[in-house]
Amino acid sequence: MSTPLESIYTCPDCNAVAAVPLFPFDLWQCSCGKLLRIENGKVTVSQLLPLIHSNDLLQPGCTGVWKTQPFTITGRVRVWFEDKVINYWTLLFDDKTVKWLCEGYGLYAVLETNNSIKKIAAGQLSKIGIGNKHVLQGNHEYQLIKKEKSWNLEAEGKISLPIQSTTLKSFEFAAENGSCVTLLQGDPEELFYFQVFNVHAADLSLQGLRNQAAATPHHFQCTECSEKIEVITFPYALSCACKKCGTGYHYLPHTGFKKIHTRKDDFTPQFILGETGVLNGIKWQILGYAQKQEDNSYHSRWREYTLYNSSQGFAFLSEFDGHWTFLKERNQCPVLMSERTGGFNYSNESFSIYNKYRHTIISAAGEFPYDIYTKKDVEAKEFISPPEIWIREKGNKEGITWFFGHHVRRAELKKTFPLEYELPAKSGIGAVQPTGYINPVKTGIVAFCAILVFIVLHGIASLFNENKVVFEGPLLFDSTNTATAVTPPLQLNKYSSNLKLVLSAPVVNSWVEVSATLVNTSTGKEYSLEQGVEYYYGFSEGESWSEGSTSSETYFTAIPSGTYRLQLRANKSYEASNLTDVSVKAVYSVESSRNLFAAVIIIIIAAAGTFYVTQIFEKQRWQNSPFSVYTNE
């Protein structure tokens, strides 16, 4: 990596002398820990506080790659918002350009300065509410999804951040096309515009991560029972509850953990706090559990366990009526521009609204990200496409947060986590339980594709048909109105094929019936069929009519190779006394649409049957939903 120009500085606090790159850093940290900056040509101590707790995987000196360009993490600013803590890491690329990595709770986003974003006056920006829309790029409307103000900033390493204020306001916008924009505000009139690229940690190829063995939990004593409370994931876990008495605490600005909740009801968890298990190939530790209740007439209760992994952040395991769902926050998520939306498509999946509610905490123990206790204004909406679910939480303070989840089998949980008590029995059909669910749109698509495949295969097979006439001639009727014939030997050489008989006779208001038997001359095995020719016409009630035809056709199917004779016998009706013969033509290895039609009918019946059975299960699934389409049935 090329090195930016350096300058010698003297720390005004400890008088240490060292070299520091002047570009592109706005702040750097002295060996004494103080953060320094250049102001009016002089080195001064910044008002930003040095970082205290440093338990993160990322650290200054880590390297990575983004869009094929290598970078080094040189430092960060950690921003304390009211109910979460977010890191803004400085990424120094080889070409001396700088970008920022917004990181926290297992979510990652690269921020890049974008001056083409339409400017908003600071006064106007403060008036935009959560969920409101604003045109920021081109004609695209962006929805405000987060609006937060910090109460504390900490920093470490060498930092490039144009904002020098000790407070920070963040405004996050998202558009339906997936584009995201973040505005950061320090001074009242100072706004900086960033294009946001949500990424996964694996996309960055990060190296040089910190050893987590150095993590130091935060401790304090319960004010109700004097039990020692340990918060392993502090400062990212800002809520906790005493494992002994259930008293709830939240970390308040400049104050620390304060009592904010009293347990309303006892609940004994099935899993042991602190134990670990593997779900989706990731090792999770159970750090907390909470019993929640809907604030509506149903008062439905469910249980939720907090899971943690040092590289993945937090996840949740939710249980209702014995059905389990794994949930994790996502920053790559849907954007709903209207509150009336009853569903949406995301990643080629159709999701329908299933539930809407606010909730309160009944009982809890352990630690939790964010503030779990003061969410009475947060409205949750569930959108399902079993076995998957999106949950959107929207609050005036928290903004809009999305969680993506999927059904988890009981058997998997029993093998994964040590149980303290038996898992609760299942009741009914779960919201995302896959049993009985088949997406009707997918069913239609699969049926259509299957029919299309059969049509293509039928077309390909027809290319190899011989369409060979192996017999053609008349059957002459005798005085008994009967005609018989036996063909010369017919050589059928395909492993399995068909033989089409085409019959024609000039019948008028009469009929002819032909019986045909195909006999294998070596084995004596017979294949028989009957086919008629009939044609009627007349005039009644002022209109002429006709029915039938003077020709018809039928097939011997799946005939194995061999030498055969065709035995023919024809009978005619009394009305066909003047008919002298019936013409018969045998054509070997021809295209037949019968099998195709049969396959299409079977596919349609199967699809219809699947849809019918699905509806039976779906009625049970949706009986717990206020948005059920089966309510009036």
Side-chain angles (χ1 to χ4, degrees), residues 170-474:
S170 173
F171 303 86
E172 299 178 24
F173 292 84
E176 284 184 301
N177 63 2
S179 175
C180 297
V181 167
T182 289
L183 277 62
L184 296 181
Q185 181 182 9
D187 294 334
E189 299 300 326
E190 185 182 42
L191 285 173
F192 295 90
Y193 298 77
F194 300 93
Q195 195 72 46
V196 178
F197 302 91
N198 293 313
V199 297
H200 299 288
D203 300 333
L204 301 174
S205 303
L206 295 168
Q207 302 292 327
L209 302 175
R210 176 181 278 116
N211 182 1
Q212 282 296 287
T216 303
H218 182 81
H219 299 90
F220 69 98
Q221 202 168 41
C222 178
T223 59
E224 298 299 307
C225 69
S226 300
E227 181 78 2
K228 182 181 179 181
I229 297 176
E230 180 181 73
V231 185
I232 298 174
T233 58
F234 181 82
Y236 302 102
L238 294 176
S239 292
C240 62
C242 178
K243 297 177 183 179
K244 183 178 180 181
C245 69
T247 301
Y249 297 86
H250 180 62
Y251 196 88
L252 299 179
H254 311 292
T255 304
F257 282 100
K258 294 298 178 183
K259 177 183 174 181
I260 199 170
H261 180 265
T262 301
R263 184 168 61 191
K264 300 176 182 177
D265 193 4
D266 288 330
F267 169 69
T268 303
Q270 278 74 37
F271 302 117
I272 304 170
L273 296 187
E275 293 290 348
T276 60
V278 177
L279 279 176
N280 307 322
I282 298 170
K283 186 177 182 180
W284 299 96
Q285 183 179 16
I286 302 175
L287 293 184
Y289 73 85
Q291 184 174 204
K292 301 181 177 182
Q293 177 175 285
E294 293 183 4
D295 286 338
N296 52 31
S297 59
Y298 297 101
H299 299 300
S300 297
R301 290 189 179 186
W302 72 99
R303 277 60 55 189
E304 193 170 270
Y305 296 83
T306 300
L307 310 179
Y308 178 74
N309 174 278
S310 59
S311 63
Q312 300 292 322
F314 293 89
F316 305 93
L317 192 57
S318 178
E319 177 268 320
F320 176 72
D321 278 352
H323 301 279
W324 296 86
T325 305
F326 176 85
L327 295 161
K328 193 175 188 312
E329 185 180 353
R330 289 276 188 91
N331 53 8
Q332 299 178 33
C333 54
V335 177
L336 302 186
M337 289 297 189
S338 172
E339 291 299 317
R340 298 181 180 180
T341 298
F344 56 84
N345 291 315
Y346 190 85
S347 296
N348 298 319
E349 293 285 345
S350 178
F351 291 83
S352 301
I353 189 167
Y354 181 82
N355 201 6
K356 180 177 71 171
Y357 55 87
R358 289 179 169 84
H359 75 271
T360 56
I361 300 295
I362 303 299
S363 58
E367 59 192 86
F368 315 92
Y370 312 128
D371 177 5
I372 68 168
Y373 294 110
T374 58
K375 286 194 171 187
K376 293 186 177 181
D377 74 316
V378 175
E379 181 182 74
K381 285 186 177 181
E382 299 177 354
F383 299 86
I384 67 170
S385 178
E388 297 176 341
I389 184 172
W390 279 103
I391 300 179
R392 189 194 75 156
E393 292 188 351
K394 179 184 178 183
N396 294 327
K397 290 170 55 180
E398 293 84 356
I400 296 173
T401 304
W402 284 91
F403 298 87
F404 179 74
H406 60 81
H407 172 78
V408 181
R409 295 181 298 108
R410 288 163 51 89
E412 184 178 359
L413 293 176
K414 287 182 178 181
K415 291 189 299 182
T416 296
F417 295 107
L419 292 178
E420 188 166 13
Y421 297 95
E422 183 62 29
L423 297 181
K426 290 196 299 184
S427 174
I429 302 294
V432 289
Q433 181 183 348
T435 303
Y437 179 79
I438 298 178
N439 190 306
V441 176
K442 285 188 175 180
T443 301
I445 292 174
V446 170
F448 173 79
C449 291
I451 291 172
L452 188 62
V453 168
F454 272 99
I455 292 174
V456 171
L457 293 176
H458 179 75
I460 293 174
S462 67
L463 298 176
F464 298 94
N465 292 327
E466 296 181 8
N467 292 305
K468 180 181 178 181
V469 178
V470 295
F471 172 79
E472 186 172 17

Side-chain angles (χ1 to χ4, degrees), residues 67-209:
K67 292 186 176 180
T68 73
Q69 298 299 313
F71 63 80
T72 298
I73 294 178
T74 63
R76 64 165 154 175
V77 173
R78 184 157 69 187
V79 183
W80 293 65
F81 294 110
E82 188 171 340
D83 72 336
K84 67 180 179 181
V85 174
I86 295 294
N87 299 297
Y88 290 92
W89 298 90
T90 297
L91 308 182
L92 180 62
F93 287 79
D94 282 359
D95 60 0
K96 301 180 185 178
T97 59
V98 171
K99 296 178 177 58
W100 296 267
L101 180 63
C102 179
E103 174 269 329
Y105 304 90
L107 305 178
Y108 298 80
V110 175
L111 274 59
E112 188 176 68
T113 302
N114 187 345
N115 294 322
S116 67
I117 300 172
K118 294 181 180 179
K119 301 300 181 285
I120 307 177
Q124 181 184 5
L125 182 61
S126 63
K127 297 177 182 178
I128 300 177
I130 297 297
N132 291 168
K133 298 178 282 290
H134 196 87
V135 176
L136 292 177
Q137 294 189 90
N139 295 321
H140 296 296
E141 283 190 327
Y142 285 72
Q143 183 183 66
L144 180 62
I145 59 174
K146 300 283 186 184
K147 184 177 182 180
E148 299 166 304
K149 181 180 179 180
S150 73
W151 63 270
N152 186 28
L153 271 66
E154 301 174 290
E156 68 171 333
K158 299 181 181 70
I159 305 144
S160 177
L161 192 67
I163 297 171
Q164 299 296 336
S165 174
T166 56
T167 60
L168 183 69
K169 291 182 180 179
S170 173
F171 303 86
E172 299 178 24
F173 292 84
E176 284 184 301
N177 63 2
S179 175
C180 297
V181 167
T182 289
L183 277 62
L184 296 181
Q185 181 182 9
D187 294 334
E189 299 300 326
E190 185 182 42
L191 285 173
F192 295 90
Y193 298 77
F194 300 93
Q195 195 72 46
V196 178
F197 302 91
N198 293 313
V199 297
H200 299 288
D203 300 333
L204 301 174
S205 303
L206 295 168
Q207 302 292 327
L209 302 175

